[in-house]
Amino acid sequence: VGRSSWPPPSPFRVPTASSVTDRDGMATAVARRIVQLERTLRAAPRSMAASSFSTSAEEELIVNTEGSIGELILNRPKALHALNPNMVAIATPVVQDWKSNDAVASFVMRSEPWGGKAFCAGGDVRAVYEDGLANETGTAGLGVPGSITGDFFRKEYELNYMLATCPKPQVSLWDGIVMGGGVGLSVHGAFRVCSEKALFAMPETGIGLFPDVGLTYVLPRLAGAGEVANSGEASPIGVYLGLTGTRLKWEDLVYAGLATHAVASNKLQDMAAALAATPGPHDKATVQVDLLVVVNLKLPRRSLITK
């Protein structure tokens, strides 16, 4: 597969002259964001937590707005936030609305609670399997509409495409496990922020399935810090990951270009608050400045890929 620019170069660079003209300008912009963040946290230290936390088992995907941002919050902690048909059904019209809603300048996708075990461990294939077993019409596995086996993957992939083509900056917080369907929800967005707890994989390859949720597009186009781009050639790291489903931690995610930023787990909530306090509209340069408010983790020199 021929390589185009992936991920798009603009989110990963210092904002252009139209937003921050030089290094001094960048320092000033970051300082202003820090002041805004401190004021926000002093005025309403629990605002984001109070509006996001849910005690209802029925709220598997929480839709929230905070300041200028929207939030899609995965809320199935006992299932490691595995993506199911109900969550897809909730997210799809919300993302469709946010694409043209001026009140939402950008949106954050994360899991509940802050600092949990997973972002999203993948699609709920168990539900699909059990639906197939319960199907008494003899049509299980034939894609018949109206059943989980017939609808789930189609609707999931449609949501993946909608997220990939959304014009608003998407910031996904990979704090813990991110696999399979969770990758599809997040990897197509402009910003993928991993913490030291991140664990990434496409385990589908272990059962003979291709890397789905758009990863056959993403992986050949990887161009991380550890790789020299060769026009027209598939990324060696991407091919390796697509064939093996190897698990990557935060240092490898940044090295491979799958994650755009590395931020300490205990700083993620502050980062989201800084973004929410920034008036819209947001472009990628605006979000980049807010991400730099928090201290990025220092990457080790050696990791799985570089050993």
Side-chain angles (χ1 to χ4, degrees):
V1 180
R3 186 205 306 263
S4 64
S5 176
W6 183 271
S10 56
F12 317 126
R13 297 177 181 175
V14 174
T16 59
S18 61
S19 56
V20 180
T21 57
D22 52 27
R23 184 174 300 177
D24 292 337
M26 170 66 78
T28 301
V30 171
R32 287 174 179 170
R33 296 287 191 271
I34 293 174
V35 172
Q36 290 175 349
L37 172 58
E38 290 175 344
R39 289 174 178 172
T40 300
L41 295 181
R42 281 198 300 267
R46 298 182 181 179
S47 60
M48 295 193 69
S51 59
S52 300
F53 275 56
S54 168
T55 57
S56 171
E58 297 178 356
E59 292 188 80
E60 296 177 322
L61 183 72
I62 303 170
V63 179
N64 183 45
T65 55
E66 184 71 26
S68 59
I69 67 171
E71 289 183 300
L72 286 176
I73 307 168
L74 286 70
N75 190 36
R76 299 185 68 204
K78 292 183 179 180
L80 299 179
H81 308 292
L83 185 67
N84 65 18
N86 180 49
M87 298 163 77
V88 173
I90 295 172
T92 299
V94 171
V95 175
Q96 184 64 42
D97 173 69
W98 285 353
K99 290 173 69 173
S100 57
N101 188 338
D102 292 338
V104 177
S106 59
F107 63 98
V108 171
M109 189 176 291
R110 65 173 182 87
S111 60
E112 181 76 5
W114 293 98
K117 294 181 179 180
F119 168 75
C120 176
D124 193 348
V125 292
R126 178 177 178 177
V128 178
Y129 173 73
E130 291 179 346
D131 180 71
L133 291 180
N135 192 317
E136 299 177 355
T137 65
T139 58
L142 298 181
V144 176
S147 65
I148 296 179
T149 54
D151 293 344
F152 176 61
F153 290 109
R154 173 174 56 82
K155 292 183 177 180
E156 179 191 14
Y157 297 162
E158 288 174 350
L159 176 59
N160 296 155
Y161 179 78
M162 188 180 298
L163 289 166
T165 56
C166 181
K168 303 289 180 68
Q170 175 185 347
V171 181
S172 299
L173 308 184
W174 288 352
D175 192 24
I177 298 169
V178 51
M179 296 183 179
V183 178
L185 287 176
S186 52
V187 75
H188 304 291
F191 300 95
R192 288 88 59 194
V193 182
C194 69
S195 77
E196 70 278 13
K197 295 163 48 184
L199 181 64
F200 173 104
M202 291 298 293
E204 293 85 345
T205 59
I207 59 173
L209 181 66
F210 61 90
D212 64 342
V213 295
L215 265 291
T216 52
Y217 178 88
V218 173
L219 292 176
R221 294 167 173 81
L222 288 180
E227 187 173 358
V228 178
N230 294 312
S231 178
E233 296 182 11
S235 160
I237 291 177
V239 171
Y240 171 74
L241 296 177
L243 291 174
T244 64
T246 297
R247 296 184 176 191
L248 302 181
K249 295 185 178 180
W250 59 277
E251 61 269 34
D252 290 312
L253 290 172
V254 174
Y255 182 89
L258 284 161
T260 60
H261 296 76
V263 172
S265 177
N266 62 4
K267 294 286 188 178
L268 291 174
Q269 190 168 1
D270 290 349
M271 184 192 69
L275 186 60
T278 304
H282 293 172
D283 57 16
K284 293 177 181 179
T286 301
V287 177
Q288 173 80 342
V289 171
D290 282 317
L291 294 182
L292 293 176
V293 167
V294 297
V295 179
N296 280 12
L297 293 171
K298 183 178 181 181
L299 298 178
R301 295 182 180 180
R302 294 176 61 81
S303 60
L304 175 66
I305 292 177
T306 58
K307 286 181 181 177

